[in-house]
Amino acid sequence: MQNSLSHWSLSLLIFVFAGCAVPQEQKVIQEKAKLPHISVDTFPILSEKKIELSKLYCEKYYGLDDIRLMNPDMVVIHFTAIPTLESTLNLFKKDELSSNRSYIGSYSKLNVSIHYVIDKNGDIYSLLPDTLIARHIIGYNHVSIGIENVALDESELTGSQLESNTKLVNFLKSKYPSINYLIGHDEYNIDSLEHTKFYKSLDSTYAPYDKPDPGQKFMQDLRQNLDSLYGLEFRK
Ligand SMILES: [Zn+2]
């Protein structure tokens, strides 16, 4: 009697555990399926040299021994200050900074880089995997995913870009629930904002300076869109 009861209990246990294992697998598939659809073209900019320069950069300014971006905390929005997609992609293709970037060039030869570029018509391009650290903002590259918008200045940013930024930020938040902050590049050196707790630069002279991009209006519209369309409210 004792034995058959044990057998029965064991069978019940196996049944319960087997029952748990299947939904676990289904859950992963369901969560992937929940990602909102966005159309992204790839335009890879990675090279051996860029990886080498990135390693040096991450070690020197963030004290990191690899260039992986794990559990990002924020998304940073920019405009390129370059008028066309073609010239933007040409710039990001280079491994080393152009000689006119004298301030940041004095700290590292690593070219500026970005995860996503959005053209004026709203087309989205992926340049770097968002699991790698890019060089797009002093002090926050180790915690942020960057989005560039093709525009010479704030007045050139389009409604299509606003729409694509909204979709892309929503997509990134679904992909990385760790993202709780959204800032414009021009907000990165406002000391009163909460995101500044992530600031890191092991060389205190390599510090933020005033940037114009993307401007208050664009960020205000983007935040409003994210809230009204997806119920997303990010911290600054
Ligand atoms: Zn910028």
Side-chain angles (χ1 to χ4, degrees):
M1 188 65 192
Q2 183 78 25
N3 261 353
S4 66
L5 187 65
S6 296
H7 274 296
W8 186 83
S9 306
L10 189 64
S11 305
L12 181 67
L13 268 180
I14 289 169
F15 175 75
V16 168
F17 278 112
C20 285
V22 175
Q24 190 76 17
E25 223 168 278
Q26 280 173 348
K27 191 165 173 260
V28 174
I29 293 162
Q30 275 166 0
E31 287 194 348
K32 275 188 186 158
K34 257 196 276 173
L35 276 184
H37 175 76
I38 54 161
S39 169
V40 178
D41 287 323
T42 51
F43 187 87
I45 57 158
L46 261 184
S47 67
E48 290 285 321
K49 177 144 193 192
K50 198 164 271 173
I51 290 172
E52 210 39 57
L53 288 169
S54 296
K55 280 182 184 164
L56 292 171
Y57 184 91
C58 288
E59 190 183 354
K60 192 169 173 192
Y61 298 107
Y62 299 119
L64 296 173
D65 60 8
D66 78 48
I67 62 171
R68 279 175 299 172
L69 180 59
M70 314 283 279
N71 304 315
D73 294 291
M74 40 195 260
V75 173
V76 183
I77 309 294
H78 305 259
F79 63 63
T80 55
I82 293 173
T84 66
L85 176 71
E86 192 188 6
S87 43
T88 298
L89 296 180
N90 281 338
L91 172 117
F92 285 123
K93 262 194 256 176
K94 294 177 184 142
D95 295 329
E96 295 194 0
L97 269 183
S98 69
S99 54
N100 65 353
R101 303 297 299 265
S102 57
Y103 173 69
I104 63 169
S106 65
Y107 290 95
S108 168
K109 291 222 178 312
L110 173 66
N111 192 14
V112 285
S113 54
I114 199 78
H115 300 98
Y116 297 95
V117 167
I118 302 182
D119 196 8
K120 287 178 180 165
N121 65 3
D123 285 352
I124 304 171
Y125 294 82
S126 157
L127 273 58
L128 263 187
D130 47 36
T131 47
L132 291 182
I133 292 172
R135 184 186 193 187
H136 60 101
I137 180 169
I138 295 173
Y140 300 98
N141 292 307
H142 63 308
V143 291
S144 68
I145 292 175
I147 302 173
E148 282 280 2
N149 289 275
V150 177
L152 202 49
D153 57 34
E154 190 178 351
S155 72
E156 287 195 352
L157 291 165
T158 68
S160 302
Q161 282 172 318
L162 179 63
E163 201 179 304
S164 290
N165 277 263
T166 309
K167 285 182 188 163
L168 182 53
V169 172
N170 175 51
F171 171 82
L172 291 171
K173 173 68 181 170
S174 308
K175 191 174 174 188
Y176 302 108
S178 57
I179 296 172
N180 288 313
Y181 291 79
L182 171 69
I183 64 161
H185 196 181
D186 53 339
E187 295 171 317
Y188 80 143
N189 57 353
I190 302 176
D191 289 341
S192 58
L193 296 183
E194 201 185 315
H195 76 268
T196 51
K197 68 183 179 184
F198 299 118
Y199 180 74
K200 191 167 192 182
S201 179
L202 294 181
D203 177 345
S204 61
T205 68
Y206 183 44
Y209 59 99
D210 282 352
K211 296 296 266 184
D213 60 318
Q216 266 185 23
K217 168 89 170 68
F218 194 77
M219 288 310 295
Q220 195 181 319
D221 291 347
L222 177 58
R223 288 180 173 119
Q224 202 175 323
N225 267 2
L226 285 162
D227 188 12
S228 62
L229 293 172
Y230 304 114
L232 288 176
E233 279 184 72
F234 291 91
R235 296 178 193 175
K236 287 195 214 173

